[in-house]
Amino acid sequence: MATILDTFQEFAKIYNDARSSGNNEVAMRVGKNILSIAEAQLSQPDLSATHKEYYRQWYVQVHEYMSTATKKLAKAKTQSSGDNNIADNTDWFSADVPNLTMDDVAGLVDVKEEFMVNIFAPFDKKYSPIYYRYRKDLGLQILLYGPPGTGKTHIVKCLAGELGCKIAVVQIKDVMARLVGDGAKIIAAVFEQAQKYDKCIIFFDEIDALAASRDDDESRHTKEQLTTLLTYMDGFMSKTKPGQIKIIVAATNRPWALDSAVKRGGRFETQIYIPLPDFDARKKLIDIAFGKDRGQKNRLEIPCNPDVTSEWLATKLEGYAGADIKAICKQIINKPLKRAIFAEFKGIKCAEDCVTRQDCLTVIGEYINSITDEMLLEFDAYKANMEFKEYIKAILRIDVSRLKEYARRWLTAKGLLK
Ligand code: ADP
């Protein structure tokens, strides 16, 4: 549990970083927090002399900076008000509340349970005053991580629909498409706009690109983006009141690449792993693709041979992500479609106008699975809170750096290598 001093020191670090990178807006924002914590701490009667001096010095320094910077910033804002600032002009919450519910998430029973406990309960009218009374922040920050195509984005949209929330989806392409350095402006704009809504979700897709580890990426803009994100996240959390629903969700395929500050000090405390679809999830995805799902009222069922059942196909598609299953099903359905078109073209009767097992096996055989075993092992290592190499060493009980030597020994023992 982070102490007040820890939080203060983190703010102080962000403040120093912002000042050295010349980001006055962030420095001012963090400066406000520094002043209010320092003020509160200085009024504590039992504060030690060392701490009193420490907070006093910070108070004086930041106060001085804030007064001069306020004037400068006001002047700069007036001068740049004519600039064409794309980030500020985008309405990030323009999309309607998604017409989806958690029932639109196929399978993933464990994930839905996690959502029940961590997300739905705190916002239930019954419990939210209790959370508030005990100073538990009502705003939620959730990190969804897992292999690509497992439905992280889809789940967030279903969550927004279920809770009746407006949603802002910030994708890395939105940031990349803009000018270098606009990342911080985009983040600020999204959070500012979120203040207008009582029920909203800010969703950062591929957060690893926005909040990459500072050890890996030393660029000034990356640091600035991260600092802005952290500052706004903290402010967003503390302002949420009972009756409001404010959630920040981030998704990543590479949780280990995130800067540790994003996962520390109450931020993204709830991390939920989104795994590959289980049997039921795969079956439902197949049913949806083939128009067999009961929810798909206006869709005709794709004609299949009697031995091509969703159950059979679901067993064949173990190890594939939801996105891949959708793509595979589409390709399978294309097979009899092509035959039917071809027959029509030639004016002959189509011999096989249904999906056959051979159609399925051909497509699956040719499809390159986007999920690799190594990828899944990387997630297992992250869940076990271990470095990848250490994890492999632990599960194989061998030293990975000596793999070649082991292989040579094994082949020699088998007489395959002289
Ligand atoms: P991710 O964000 O994890 O990369 P997406 O949410 O973009 O994955 O999912 C890709 C596609 O696969 C979406 O169209 C989504 O509808 C579908 N999908 C994946 N998993 C599921 C699931 N469990 N339930 C419903 N649809 C899913």
Side-chain angles (χ1 to χ4, degrees), residues 104-108 146-155 158 203 205 251 253 274-275 277 281 284-285 288 321-324 326:
D104 292 297
V105 177
L108 304 179
T150 44
K152 295 182 285 299
T153 308
H154 177 71
I155 291 171
C158 293
F203 174 51
D205 198 9
N253 306 332
I274 309 296
K284 178 154 182 190
L285 287 168
I288 294 172
D324 290 323
K326 273 180 85 170

Side-chain angles (χ1 to χ4, degrees), residues 6 16 33 51 66 82 108 118 120-121 149 166 179 197 219 222 248 301 319-320 337 395 398 404 407:
D6 289 339
N16 280 338
N33 290 326
H51 281 112
M66 300 272 286
L108 304 179
N118 290 301
F120 297 115
K166 291 285 269 182
L179 294 171
Y197 302 99
S219 93
T222 309
I248 306 170
E301 257 185 50
Y320 289 84
L337 173 87
I395 57 167
I398 55 167
K404 262 192 192 161

